[in-house]
Amino acid sequence: MNILLIEDEKRIRDFVCCGFREQGFVVDCCDNGDEGFQKARSREYSAIVLDIMLPGRDGLSILGSLRKLGINTPVILLTARNELGDRIEGLNLGADDYLAKPFFVEELIARIHALQRRVTGDRQNNIVSGNFRLDRIHREVYWCEQSVGLTGREFNLIEYLMRSPGRVFTRTQIMSHVWGYDFAPNTNVVDVCIKRIRKKISLVNDDESPIESIRGVGYRFKKCDMNP
């Protein structure tokens, strides 16, 4: 696993990094919030271990900004202030877990493994791209955290596109996968279905639709840019 540790106390940073590496983790360490935020938003990590009290940007500010950018990397907060208000604020901002100092590195490692097991299960059942989330178990779609009511066919179409964000699919490919038709040159059923989906998305939130038209070719689901 690739872990980002943002912790300004050298003693804690050193023993945590040592413990992680003994477990075979690849670790990036930094001692201030500004550098930590840049790493967190520009690289992919399995998890982020984030101290609340940091020079530069504090941990809660970093967490809030990452979630607003659509970066859903699991985050474990570290804090010396074992107060209910800090824990609640962190969880409300999107933290996945917290650990109060002092702590055993073995417990931190166990919590990271537990988070990874949970995230792996979530990823099998949820497809997320930016502000768009598709729940395969309940067959529900959310745009900017608001439910979008789609028919079964519309759901299957958008799931097909979302599985490969950035990839362009021809109308024939979409027809074959969603409708089961191998060849239907004189139908505009794909275009009509896409139009309905876009309209339903815009009624929920009028941000730019994540479904892009590629002139003369077909459609693709916009690949989320993690570095806007």
Side-chain angles (χ1 to χ4, degrees):
M1 279 190 282
N2 188 15
I3 309 296
L4 173 62
L5 172 64
I6 309 174
E7 167 62 64
D8 66 317
E9 293 186 50
K10 186 177 185 304
R11 180 182 60 84
I12 294 176
R13 191 171 64 252
D14 287 349
F15 89 77
V16 170
C17 283
C18 181
F20 283 173
R21 287 171 179 142
E22 287 177 356
Q23 287 290 310
F25 295 173
V26 176
V27 188
D28 280 350
C29 298
C30 54
D31 60 5
N32 70 85
D34 295 326
E35 179 186 358
F37 177 64
Q38 291 304 318
K39 286 181 181 290
R41 72 192 298 262
S42 61
R43 304 179 190 177
E44 291 190 9
Y45 292 97
S46 304
I48 299 171
V49 179
L50 176 61
D51 189 20
I52 287 182
M53 298 297 293
L54 292 166
R57 297 187 66 148
D58 65 79
L60 294 179
S61 171
I62 293 171
L63 174 61
S65 296
L66 292 177
R67 295 305 187 236
K68 286 179 180 178
L69 288 171
I71 299 173
N72 295 310
T73 307
V75 171
I76 297 179
L77 290 177
L78 302 179
T79 177
R81 301 178 301 172
N82 194 17
E83 298 178 0
L84 179 62
D86 292 329
R87 300 198 299 270
I88 291 175
E89 185 176 1
L91 293 171
N92 285 337
L93 285 170
D96 298 272
D97 202 351
Y98 65 87
L99 198 57
K101 300 175 184 178
F103 58 86
F104 293 102
V105 70
E106 292 84 359
E107 181 181 1
L108 178 55
I109 290 169
R111 292 187 183 219
I112 289 174
H113 282 304
L115 277 178
Q116 285 302 301
R117 288 193 296 270
R118 191 178 82 195
V119 168
T120 299
D122 288 345
R123 285 176 178 167
Q124 292 173 347
N125 300 325
N126 288 270
I127 305 175
V128 179
S129 181
N131 292 324
F132 213 96
R133 177 168 63 88
L134 183 144
D135 183 339
R136 297 178 62 240
I137 295 297
H138 300 98
R139 292 185 65 81
E140 295 176 347
V141 167
Y142 297 89
W143 173 235
C144 299
E145 296 304 321
Q146 298 184 66
S147 178
V148 181
L150 299 181
T151 67
R153 189 87 69 185
E154 291 164 354
F155 181 93
N156 292 342
L157 194 159
I158 204 163
E159 179 185 11
Y160 183 52
L161 298 180
M162 285 188 73
R163 286 185 175 278
S164 303
R167 177 183 171 184
V168 179
F169 292 92
T170 66
R171 290 170 175 80
T172 301
Q173 288 174 314
I174 297 171
M175 285 285 294
S176 176
H177 181 86
V178 179
W179 279 267
Y181 300 159
D182 291 329
F183 185 64
N186 297 319
T187 180
N188 67 342
V189 66
V190 173
D191 304 279
V192 171
C193 191
I194 292 285
K195 185 176 180 180
R196 287 201 308 265
I197 295 172
R198 283 173 167 165
K199 183 176 181 180
K200 290 179 178 181
I201 289 173
S202 68
L203 289 174
V204 171
N205 189 300
D206 61 2
D207 286 352
E208 183 181 359
S209 172
I211 303 174
E212 298 180 318
S213 301
I214 308 301
R215 188 178 180 86
V217 182
Y219 297 94
R220 69 181 174 195
F221 196 92
K222 185 177 180 181
K223 192 170 184 177
C224 179
D225 186 358
M226 305 301 280
N227 299 291

